[in-house]
């Protein structure tokens, strides 16, 4: 199943056997009331009461402390030193189960010294329910002189007791001034509250003029408590509602009737996200609705899930679980949703599974409670789980699903797991190589490269999600089967404290971004595209800017390639012939991207060291290149290609066709985003193109920019192929399409009349581009010409005159034998060849 629950505590496996041993020992010792049969008859009273911040699980069997036989524990908490215990007890019915809440119920709240004696102080004796919770500051090596205890009353107020303890007679711990314990009123007139045990936060909702307002109290070790924010919450609540979340086991309400009550919970994570998940009570058996308020993004989304047939009765409520970057929402037997809370803007980044799916059927049907982080508690079974996304299931699902929306959602789920990323990337690349053309709504290679590069440096700083794109998909208009969605803007929380640390600093940063940063600050390669085209244009005209600037850009590329090689020290040598040539155009693109991305991050990542940013940039771009190499390497290995593929004098194989196709898809993916390619990519692509394509298709690919002619590839072509008629046609077609700078070099390597003709044409074009006709004698000295062909004679005389007037300027660079005489001979040879003489 998509969700993997790993048990960290099992009441029946971890506690029940121990109790059995204790009971058996008591029975053998003749202790009254002992015996294993008593345990068997009272197993229902074995239940979890609370889980503390340090991982301590508080459970009870029959009674923790026996005061009266008709009292039962409702709430219980132990301080971090395990010297004090707070417990709230209520009267029970004769059947051994507590009565439904009703006027006149008696609730007794006690504070007990448990190290090493049991002095008891009554904190409350009232006619309403009370819940207790010790505060847990960050663990210190020495005991705290003062403990803080929260009392939550059904009368809709929360108090904090300050309890000082002292040591007497060695390690005996007692309460100081137990007759008068100072206390503060933390909150009042609330209708709902949730406790975050890990971060020591209290969320609660109060009603003012029928308007719901969410508030949060942060408890700290070095101070009392602070009201952190207020946020209007557009959900219908009434004074008659009273609900507590994560204050121990809440079984006042019948869990079987949970669908009759609204469900509300709050999730946060270390990146500064704040999500409020709300599901109203169900009014229909045909569809279920729930809303998620993404306060860190400034909007809410209301999801409506179709349940199918009208007889699909819902007997259990919706369950919300916190999975770090995701929120899992599921209704047993009906649907399972994974909501991407880090990037919720597009619905395709979340996964929606419905119907009779095995992932839904395998999840527990009993209610689960999401605690801090990824801890999940099943109150009914007494099992505490750590919840993970199941990578194996998601990878298998990736192979089997046919929907584009599920492919892109699962792709992001897998990459965000963060467990063994190299293994996951290898599996995804294997899937891509088999399904490269399977997606119609997005480019599969493009999405993988962008998403994987993003997640590779995400842990460096939480602000990276605002500055780098996580997806290549900008819009998504396709429907998700079984789901309708409505998005609304919401009012942002008002921060009440102005000195932020940790999570609060990141949340405040997210809120500031939503307020002021529009349009988004995501990096793109627009500036790189413009600058690269400018440099290439300057290269063609010979007017390139200062050598220092270009050298710095190329140095950036060297740093990226060195960083990539350092990252791959432990991996196998690459089979594909990449990084084996200069390829200055790709190196310019690499270096420009380093420069632009570094400037982008430096502008917006305030407070981050420059060296760290520079390394992040190198890692990010190295990852881009490495992923491209991995995709090509996987295809190369799959088809068992050999280095002999680099030679032109051989026939293409089906394997080469397959690799050429994947390289063409990689080129399409990178071109639209203007991403750099590994030096040598275009050479290999061109060589495979010459092998695999007929001449007319090959020239069409070249003319449309799909194949980029590199000097290395063309030199190899000229050397490998002989001068048969077919090869001459190919060589000529290639040479005339070369940039002039490369073309001049290549023509010298081909000893052929066609090559001499091209050299001559370039020489003549160079001489005549600034030529101004001068008055000349109408008589031509025929004695200087061996052939009596007046047009040619006149033309050669003109060239000779230009050469003699400024020999230094017009000599063909690097080829001393190119002159008017060479042009004449080349023209005659070419004419002879054309006439077949």
């Amino acid at each position: 199943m998509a969700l993997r629950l790993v048990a960290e505590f099992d009441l029946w496996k971890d506690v029940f056997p121990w109790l059995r041993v204790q009971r058996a020992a008591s029975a053998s010792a003749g202790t009254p009331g002992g015996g294993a049969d008593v345990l068997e008859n009272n197993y229902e009273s074995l239940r979890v009461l609370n889980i503390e911040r340090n991982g301590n699980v508080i459970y009870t069997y029959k009674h923790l402390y026996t005061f009266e036989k008709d009292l039962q524990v409702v709430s219980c908490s132990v301080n971090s030193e395990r010297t004090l215990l707070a417990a709230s007890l209520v009267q029970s019915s004769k059947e051994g189960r507590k009565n439904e809440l009703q006027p006149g119920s008696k609730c007794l709240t006690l504070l007990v010294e448990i190290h090493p004696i049991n002095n008891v102080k009554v904190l409350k004796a009232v006619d309403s329910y009370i819940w207790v919770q010790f505060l847990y500051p960050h663990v210190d090596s020495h005991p705290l002189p003062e403990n803080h205890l929260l009392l939550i009353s059904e009368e809709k107020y929360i108090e904090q007791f300050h309890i000082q303890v002292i040591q007497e007679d060695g390690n005996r711990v007692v309460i100081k001034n137990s007759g008068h314990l100072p206390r503060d009123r933390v909150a009042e007139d609330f209708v709902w509250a949730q406790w975050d045990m890990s971060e020591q936060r209290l969320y609660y909702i109060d009603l003012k003029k029928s308007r719901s307002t969410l508030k949060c109290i942060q408890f700290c070790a070095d101070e009392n408590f602070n009201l952190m924010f207020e946020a209007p919450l557009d959900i219908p609540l009434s004074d008659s509602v009273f609900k507590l979340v994560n204050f121990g086991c809440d079984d006042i309400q019948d869990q079987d009737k949970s669908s009759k009550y609204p469900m509300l919970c709050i999730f946060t994570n270390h990146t500064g996200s704040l999500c409020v998940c709300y599901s109203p009570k169900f009014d229909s058996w045909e569809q279920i609705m729930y809303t998620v308020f993404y306060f860190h993004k400034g909007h809410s989304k209301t999801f409506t899930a179709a349940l199918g047939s009208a007889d699909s009765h819902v007997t259990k409520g919706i369950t919300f679980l916190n999975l770090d970057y995701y929120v899992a929402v599921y209704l047993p037997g009906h649907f399972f949703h994974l909501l991407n809370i880090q990037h919720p803007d597009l619905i395709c980044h979340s996964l929606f599974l419905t119907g009779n799916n095995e992932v839904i059927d395998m999840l527990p049907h009993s209610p689960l409670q999401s605690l801090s982080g990824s801890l999940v508690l099943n109150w009914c079974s007494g099992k505490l789980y750590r919840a993970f996304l199941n990578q194996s299931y998601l990878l298998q699902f990736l192979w089997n699903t046919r929907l584009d929306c599920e492919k892109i959602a699962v792709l992001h789920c897998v990459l965000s797991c963060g467990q063994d990323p190299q293994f996951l990337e290898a599996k995804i690349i294997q899937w891509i190589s088999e399904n490269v053309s399977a997606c119609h709504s997005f480019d599969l290679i493009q999405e993988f490269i962008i998403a994987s590069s993003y997640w590779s440096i995400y842990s460096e700083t939480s602000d990276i999600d605002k500055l780098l794109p996580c997806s290549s998909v900008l819009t998504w208009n396709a429907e998700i089967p079984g789901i309708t969605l409505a998005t609304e803007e919401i009012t942002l929380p008002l921060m009440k404290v102005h000195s932020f640390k940790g999570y609060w600093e990141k949340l405040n940063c997210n809120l500031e971004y939503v307020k002021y940063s529009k349009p988004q600050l995501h990096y793109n390669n627009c500036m790189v595209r413009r600058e690269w085209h400018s440099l290439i244009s300057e290269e063609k005209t010979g007017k390139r800017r200062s050598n220092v600037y270009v050298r710095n850009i190329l140095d950036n590329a060297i740093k990226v390639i060195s960083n990539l090689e350092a990252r791959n020290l432990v991996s196998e040598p690459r089979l594909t012939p990449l990084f084996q040539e200069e390829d200055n155009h790709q190196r310019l693109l690499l270096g420009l991207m380093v420069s632009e991305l570094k400037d982008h991050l430096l502008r917006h990542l305030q407070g981050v060291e420059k060296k760290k940013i520079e390394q992040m940039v190198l890692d990010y771009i190295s990852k881009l290149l490495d992923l491209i190499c991995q995709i090509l390497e996987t295809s190369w290995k799959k088809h068992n290609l050999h280095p002999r593929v680099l030679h032109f004098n051989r026939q293409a194989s089906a394997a080469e066709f397959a690799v050429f196709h994947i390289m063409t898809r990689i080129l399409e993916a990178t071109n639209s985003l203007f991403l750099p390619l590994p030096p040598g990519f275009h050479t290999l692509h061109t060589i495979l193109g010459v092998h695999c394509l007929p001449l007319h298709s090959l020239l069409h690919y070249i003319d449309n920019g799909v194949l980029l002619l590199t000097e290395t590839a063309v030199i190899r072509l000229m050397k490998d192929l002989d001068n048969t008629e077919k090869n001459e046609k190919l060589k000529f077609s290639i040479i005339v399409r070369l940039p002039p700078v490369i073309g001049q070099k290549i023509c010298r390597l081909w000893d052929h009349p066609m090559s001499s003709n091209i050299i001559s044409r370039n020489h003549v074009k160079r001489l005549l581009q600034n030529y101004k006709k001068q008055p000349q004698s109408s008589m031509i000295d025929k004695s200087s010409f061996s052939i009596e062909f007046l047009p040619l004679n006149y033309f050669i005389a003109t060239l000779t005159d230009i050469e003699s007037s400024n020999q230094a300027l017009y000599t063909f660079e690097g080829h001393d034998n190119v002159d008017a005489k060479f042009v004449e001979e080349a023209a005659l040879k070419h004419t002879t060849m054309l006439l077949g003489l």
Side-chain angles (χ1 to χ4, degrees), residues 650-710:
R650 52 185 304 277
Q651 293 295 319
S653 64
E656 290 173 37
F657 274 98
V659 175
F660 176 74
H661 175 66
I662 197 80
M663 291 190 75
T664 304
R665 295 304 301 266
I666 291 172
L667 190 65
E668 291 174 358
T670 55
N671 273 353
S672 59
L673 297 176
F674 210 71
L675 298 176
L677 288 163
F681 182 93
H682 286 295
T683 293
L684 180 58
H685 193 211
T686 299
I687 292 174
L688 290 175
V690 173
H691 286 171
C692 299
L693 300 174
L695 182 58
H696 67 279
S697 298
L698 175 69
L699 300 181
H700 179 73
Y701 272 52
I702 295 172
D703 293 339
N704 286 276
V706 179
L707 289 176
L708 184 63
L709 297 174
T710 64

Side-chain angles (χ1 to χ4, degrees), residues 280-319:
K281 56 185 178 181
F282 304 149
D283 297 323
S284 169
W285 301 118
E286 298 180 0
Q287 60 184 22
I288 299 297
M289 181 184 298
Y290 64 88
T291 300
V292 179
F293 297 85
Y294 302 95
F295 278 106
H296 58 294
K297 296 292 184 180
H299 64 257
S300 68
K301 292 183 180 293
T302 299
F303 302 87
T304 303
L307 296 185
S309 60
D311 59 350
S312 300
H313 293 307
V314 178
T315 59
K316 307 288 184 181
I318 282 183
T319 297

